Amino acid sequence: RAIDYYLQAGEIGRAIAVATDSHISAEGAAEVAATIQRIRDVTPPGSLEEGWLLARMGAAEYFETGDYAAAQAAFARALRISAGADAADLELRTLAYAISIDHFDLRWPQLLAKSRRVRELAQHVEHIRSETYARFREAYTLTHTGRADEGTVESDANLALAERLKDRGLLADALYVKSTLAQLRGDWREARAYSD
């Protein structure tokens, strides 16, 4: 409704800000891709604004339709725009959405490569939330693909960052991976402690 209001009022910048707000989850929302397309229709092609919309649209396309190829096409265009504008923050956001899609689509090698790039970018632009999120996805992937030792290193870093942020969602994700690793070792007391 906010986007509809801003579009009717000619406040395109505010419509873009609402559609691309990083605190709004890409998962579980309906008709986001169509709404973003309406904003793109009045946004200059190739602009940074279109790049931000495309990053969000890639995630929306996947979570609404399961179309991995459509999501990747949107991400690729957003990444081209970010490279052309030397916009590390846009690259960071695009790759963060992309690793989420890779996670849900079980594309582990792609996720690992992208999450490492997200960590590099997050440290460069000092965006601890993105680094924490990438470390969670990486720890989860390593743990679930038979690389528990590497997963332990990443999960330790993930938990430390999540505790610094005091973000309950990121903290729950980090504790889940720690609990899973303890279960894999057969350490039920530690697994329960993390779970509790």
Side-chain angles (χ1 to χ4, degrees):
R1 290 197 313 246
I3 290 169
D4 286 339
Y5 172 80
Y6 287 133
L7 286 175
Q8 289 172 8
E11 298 273 356
I12 308 306
R14 289 186 176 193
I16 292 169
V18 171
T20 62
D21 188 293
S22 64
H23 295 94
I24 300 172
S25 173
E27 304 163 21
E31 298 181 28
V32 174
T35 301
I36 291 172
Q37 185 55 53
R38 288 180 33 233
I39 304 169
R40 280 186 66 210
D41 290 343
V42 293
T43 302
S47 64
L48 273 175
E49 291 80 5
E50 185 191 30
W52 288 100
L53 291 168
L54 284 162
R56 182 69 172 84
M57 189 169 192
E61 286 279 358
Y62 180 82
F63 286 116
E64 290 177 33
T65 68
D67 189 338
Y68 185 82
Q72 296 310 305
F75 294 148
R77 183 157 165 74
L79 290 172
R80 283 193 301 274
I81 291 170
S82 86
D86 196 25
D89 52 348
L90 174 55
E91 180 184 1
L92 177 65
R93 175 77 62 82
T94 303
L95 291 174
Y97 281 134
I99 63 174
S100 178
I101 302 312
D102 287 339
H103 180 115
F104 280 88
D105 215 64
L106 307 179
R107 298 188 186 245
W108 307 124
Q110 295 91 327
L111 184 152
L112 290 173
K114 291 172 192 165
S115 69
R116 289 184 180 113
R117 178 64 179 151
V118 168
R119 287 188 302 144
E120 291 171 14
L121 288 166
Q123 290 170 0
H124 176 70
V125 300
E126 297 181 11
H127 199 277
I128 189 172
R129 182 176 176 75
S130 294
E131 181 182 355
T132 307
Y133 181 78
R135 286 189 183 275
F136 158 66
R137 295 291 186 193
E138 193 168 341
Y140 182 100
T141 298
L142 292 167
T143 299
H144 288 79
T145 57
R147 296 163 65 181
D149 290 343
E150 293 171 80
T152 298
V153 172
E154 284 308 316
S155 71
D156 290 346
N158 175 225
L159 181 58
L161 290 170
E163 287 174 335
R164 272 182 52 201
L165 282 175
K166 296 180 174 50
D167 180 299
R168 290 178 185 235
L170 292 172
L171 191 53
D173 289 341
L175 291 168
Y176 168 77
V177 174
K178 295 295 289 179
S179 178
T180 301
L181 284 161
Q183 290 173 48
L184 292 173
R185 289 191 307 274
D187 188 337
W188 305 114
R189 181 172 293 159
E190 184 177 332
R192 182 178 293 265
Y194 283 124
S195 179
D196 288 348

